[in-house]
Amino acid sequence: MKSATLIGLAAAALPTAKGFVFPSNCDMATRVTQTGSSGIIEQGTYGDNEVRCWHVECIEGDVEMTWSRFDTEQTFDYVTMAKVANNGVGGIVFQSSSLSVPTTRSANGGDGAFIKLATDHSIQGTGFTVSWTCTPRPFDFPPDCTSTKTLLSASGTVDYPLGSGNYQNYENACFFFSCPSKKATLKWTQFDTEQTHDTITGYPVSEGVVGAAVLPSTSGTTTPSDTIVDGQDGIYLRLESDYSITETGFVLNYLCEDTSSPPTPPTPPTPPTPPTPACGGKRVRKEWRSLSDDEKA
């Protein structure tokens, strides 16, 4: 019987031409660096005892990865996604081995993201497909965020974690809802965290600075009232979990709306004064008739 071992990141490393340092356990022939504003990583059926590595470098902003296909041997062949900071591999964003497609994940750190596929000695899967984009960074997330998500559209829904399943232990999942100079509203429809120990907190953001909490640390299963910030940059939301017991997370709808007063319509022009009639203002009535024969004589 196989024994499961979580695949870690090697400390020793070798540099690349771009300055990023791949962990030394990455197979030399499979080290790939992608740069630009978007791209796709396509991994087909893999082999045994492989360590395949990818480095994604954004020209600007943070890397957001959306998985469309995922198939690895459950428990034994792992895909790891990590942040990149200071040209090296930083904190792990997530690690998975399954048939379930992971949720969209973001790597905040400035230098991009790192992906590693590590396989054991037998049984292969068909790999994965993940597309990546570089998203604007209107808000600098704290470095201890394990995942980040920036919402720039005027409305939408956030389901975390997406679909079935629970959030993980030791998570600091961070979200920023961008609503510059407008009213940002979070309407909670589901809420489920470990009472007291796994909390969600919301803060206003003004000129990039996080203010006092508008949603104090909240936990349990009671759905909070609407979280509202008006006239600032938006809302910074944070889910923090401890070392044990996880729940199903939350679902919320967000809305960014303009609450400024509409402009005052222009005053219509004063109509011109009608002209004064002739003959002292009296109307002259003219009558026309035919002359009789006597009048004509």
Side-chain angles (χ1 to χ4, degrees):
M1 180 181 295
K2 288 186 175 183
S3 60
T5 302
L6 200 63
I7 308 299
L9 299 176
L14 297 173
T16 69
K18 290 185 176 295
F20 172 73
V21 180
F22 279 96
S24 60
N25 62 346
C26 294
D27 297 338
M28 290 294 295
T30 65
R31 300 181 184 191
V32 176
T33 294
Q34 294 187 2
T35 63
S37 58
S38 63
I40 296 176
I41 298 173
E42 182 83 36
Q43 172 61 55
T45 301
Y46 51 82
D48 296 330
N49 299 314
E50 288 188 337
V51 182
R52 294 175 171 265
C53 300
W54 295 263
H55 165 226
V56 173
E57 182 178 70
C58 270
I59 296 174
E60 183 180 2
D62 293 326
V63 180
E64 182 176 273
M65 294 198 163
T66 302
W67 307 79
S68 57
R69 183 177 63 86
F70 198 93
D71 176 22
T72 65
E73 184 191 7
Q74 180 75 45
T75 309
F76 300 101
D77 297 344
Y78 278 91
V79 173
T80 302
M81 176 180 171
K83 301 177 186 179
V84 171
N86 300 320
N87 283 326
V89 177
I92 292 177
V93 175
F94 89 100
Q95 193 170 58
S96 181
S97 64
S98 68
L99 299 176
S100 300
V101 177
T103 59
T104 297
R105 298 292 180 126
S106 297
N108 173 53
D111 294 338
F114 171 76
I115 293 180
K116 181 175 74 173
L117 168 64
T119 70
D120 72 346
H121 60 87
S122 65
I123 307 177
Q124 303 82 33
T126 58
F128 60 85
T129 300
V130 58
S131 59
W132 60 269
T133 57
C134 297
T135 60
R137 195 182 298 159
F139 172 68
D140 287 327
F141 289 96
D144 64 340
C145 292
T146 55
S147 65
T148 63
K149 177 72 173 178
T150 297
L151 292 307
L152 298 174
S153 58
S155 63
T157 300
V158 174
D159 181 348
Y160 190 84
L162 183 65
S164 60
N166 295 1
Y167 54 83
Q168 301 178 16
N169 293 322
Y170 296 113
E171 274 208 58
N172 289 317
C174 301
F175 307 81
F176 177 65
F177 301 85
S178 178
C179 270
S181 302
K182 295 182 180 181
K183 179 181 177 181
T185 303
L186 308 184
K187 294 181 177 291
W188 303 86
T189 58
Q190 295 181 35
F191 195 96
D192 182 18
T193 68
E194 183 191 7
Q195 184 71 46
T196 306
H197 301 288
D198 298 346
T199 60
I200 295 178
T201 311
Y203 307 86
V205 177
S206 179
E207 297 183 353
V209 178
V210 177
V214 291
L215 174 67
S217 295
T218 304
S219 63
T221 57
T222 301
T223 302
S225 56
D226 292 353
T227 304
I228 300 174
V229 168
D230 197 356
Q232 301 189 51
D233 295 348
I235 298 177
Y236 165 48
L237 193 71
R238 182 181 179 98
L239 182 152
E240 299 179 72
S241 63
D242 69 353
Y243 63 91
S244 67
I245 306 177
T246 60
E247 304 296 349
T248 57
F250 65 87
V251 179
L252 63 81
N253 298 316
Y254 65 91
L255 176 65
C256 182
E257 55 186 335
D258 190 352
T259 57
S260 60
S261 301
T264 304
T267 303
T270 304
T273 304
T276 303
C279 301
K282 295 182 180 180
R283 294 183 178 275
V284 178
R285 180 178 180 186
K286 295 182 178 180
E287 295 183 357
W288 301 90
R289 61 187 178 84
S290 299
L291 295 176
S292 65
D293 292 340
D294 294 337
E295 290 174 319
K296 290 180 182 177

